[in-house]
Amino acid sequence: MLTRGNTAPMFFRILSKFPQSFSFCFAYGSGVKQQLGYDSVRSKRNMIDLIYAVDNAHRWHTANLDQNFEHYSSMRLLGGGTIAKYQESFGARVYFNTLVQIPDEDVIIKYGVVSTKDLLEDLTDWRCIYLAGRLHKPVEIIRNATSSKIQNAIEQNLRSAVHAALLLLPEKFTEFELYRAISNLSYSGDFRMIFGENKDKVNNIVRPQLENFRNLYSATFEEFRPCLELPISGSDNQICTQDLSETTILAHLNGLPKWPIRLIVERQTSGRYRQDTEDILIGVSRSTNYQSIVASCLRSIVWSSSVWQSIKNIPTAGMAKSVRYSWAKALKTFS
């Protein structure tokens, strides 16, 4: 479902340098997936981004401190238990070590550690749309999930992404616009798009990866056949058509994860009184501005998690690495 490429041997060698008690691992970003504006996937400019899902963050960080003490900032002096608590306390519940040199492979990596329970929550509930957003797009699976719960949550996350994207799109759109809407779910509202990212980032992600997006979403789209008509030829310029009846809009609203629905309900009632969620969603489905209601709630989730995660990353990287990382991002943005 998600792709595995010919760089797998290199990734396996990288993974061998870490504690093996993780339940899932994937790589993402311009270091592994082609993006317009970069010379190649494996350009030395492109840091490889990895995510490790671990069942016990305390044990994993403790073991990793023994194995890779130099990867950590001065927070390493606090020990694995404190690092794990910091990881799971706020932001997107991810702890990043960045600008880590892997001399044997002549690459630089950034790796994030997330507890399996927090990954599952983001995939199913969209509390942060942080890792969920990364898994809306093609990634490189380095180690398949050891639990069916993770795989089921990944599939649910893809369905949720289609529900959300269709709510934001008009009746007719191109295949490219569909994948762009899906990819933009986790970027719209991200404050880094204001200060540090290329404004064409979403287009640059989607355009060279159309076939990967088709492969990623082909099974999911089968479930949407009653309300979504896709072009048969696979041309990204052909027109897709969706049903915009109130019944279908309501079905998409009900297909959203827990946190967006919760925000929609709170904002429609302004917290003044209790009302049945279904009644509120029916009202939204009949509203002429349902798209702006959904978009605003999604932006709010992404804004909050991106701000707090970026603040959280400063001490985990250390001041020197934070400055170097920000400078590298700026160079990629304006080059």
Side-chain angles (χ1 to χ4, degrees):
M1 179 165 117
L2 305 177
T3 60
R4 184 190 297 275
N6 57 13
T7 56
M10 178 197 70
F11 284 125
F12 293 155
R13 291 192 297 271
I14 291 175
L15 261 59
S16 70
K17 302 177 185 298
F18 292 88
Q20 296 302 295
S21 55
F22 53 92
S23 56
F24 179 55
C25 179
F26 67 91
Y28 65 95
S30 60
V32 293
K33 292 298 177 184
Q34 184 182 357
Q35 292 184 23
L36 297 182
Y38 297 95
D39 295 334
S40 68
V41 169
R42 286 295 314 282
S43 167
K44 288 183 181 295
R45 294 178 60 196
N46 302 346
M47 183 164 55
I48 294 175
D49 297 280
L50 295 166
I51 294 292
Y52 294 94
V54 302
D55 292 337
N56 188 310
H58 183 171
R59 291 178 187 171
W60 197 90
H61 283 295
T62 299
N64 198 41
L65 283 167
D66 288 340
Q67 211 166 326
N68 298 299
F69 188 74
E70 70 283 358
H71 291 184
Y72 291 80
S73 68
S74 57
M75 287 194 68
R76 61 194 175 190
L77 302 176
L78 302 176
T82 301
I83 289 173
K85 288 180 181 178
Y86 186 75
Q87 171 191 309
E88 297 177 340
S89 294
F90 67 100
R93 307 324 196 245
V94 187
Y95 186 101
F96 281 104
N97 284 325
T98 191
L99 296 176
V100 174
Q101 301 275 352
I102 308 293
D104 295 350
E105 304 297 334
D106 193 27
V107 297
I108 299 174
I109 69 171
K110 177 180 75 175
Y111 64 93
V113 184
V114 62
S115 295
T116 303
K117 61 180 178 60
D118 291 325
L119 173 63
L120 289 172
E121 182 182 34
D122 197 31
L123 289 173
T124 58
D125 295 350
W126 283 13
R127 179 175 184 140
C128 302
I129 322 182
Y130 193 85
L131 296 181
R134 281 149 180 76
L135 288 165
H136 288 160
K137 298 174 278 291
V139 300
E140 194 85 7
I141 298 297
I142 312 304
R143 177 178 291 181
N144 287 317
T146 58
S147 165
S148 60
K149 288 183 179 180
I150 295 178
Q151 187 57 46
N152 291 339
I154 289 172
E155 293 170 5
Q156 182 177 336
N157 182 47
L158 296 179
R159 287 193 295 272
S160 298
V162 177
H163 282 299
L166 292 178
L167 282 167
L168 301 176
L169 286 164
E171 181 181 10
K172 296 183 183 296
F173 46 87
T174 65
E175 187 183 15
F176 172 78
E177 289 170 333
L178 172 58
Y179 296 134
R180 184 175 62 187
I182 290 172
S183 299
N184 197 49
L185 294 172
S186 59
Y187 285 114
S188 180
D190 190 333
F191 92 103
R192 293 171 301 174
M193 296 299 290
I194 301 174
F195 299 108
E197 289 287 3
N198 188 327
K199 300 303 183 290
D200 291 325
K201 185 176 182 69
V202 177
N203 288 342
N204 293 344
I205 289 172
V206 177
R207 183 65 70 185
Q209 291 199 74
L210 282 170
E211 194 58 39
N212 287 336
F213 274 98
R214 288 176 186 134
N215 292 336
L216 179 59
Y217 281 93
S218 59
T220 305
F221 285 151
E222 287 297 317
E223 302 178 30
F224 287 80
R225 278 185 175 274
C227 64
L228 176 63
E229 182 180 338
L230 294 171
I232 299 175
S233 69
S235 170
D236 61 302
N237 292 319
Q238 289 195 2
I239 299 300
C240 309
T241 305
Q242 67 162 321
D243 176 17
L244 288 183
S245 66
E246 289 179 8
T247 301
T248 299
I249 293 171
L250 178 60
H252 289 322
L253 289 168
N254 279 307
L256 293 175
K258 172 183 175 180
W259 280 86
I261 289 178
R262 177 177 172 176
L263 267 184
I264 290 171
V265 170
E266 288 178 353
R267 292 187 176 189
Q268 292 305 110
T269 62
S270 300
R272 290 191 300 269
Y273 58 90
R274 295 182 63 86
Q275 188 178 350
D276 183 71
T277 295
E278 186 66 13
D279 289 340
I280 293 172
L281 295 184
I282 289 172
V284 172
S285 71
R286 294 172 177 171
S287 171
T288 57
N289 67 331
Y290 71 89
Q291 290 179 318
S292 62
I293 292 172
V294 173
S296 175
C297 291
L298 294 175
R299 283 196 303 269
S300 177
I301 295 171
V302 173
W303 172 266
S304 178
S305 65
S306 67
V307 167
W308 283 109
Q309 184 63 40
S310 294
I311 293 171
K312 177 179 180 177
N313 289 345
I314 295 173
T316 67
M319 187 54 67
K321 281 189 176 182
S322 294
V323 172
R324 286 170 56 199
Y325 181 70
S326 298
W327 178 249
K329 294 288 284 186
L331 287 177
K332 286 199 292 184
T333 299
F334 296 110
S335 61

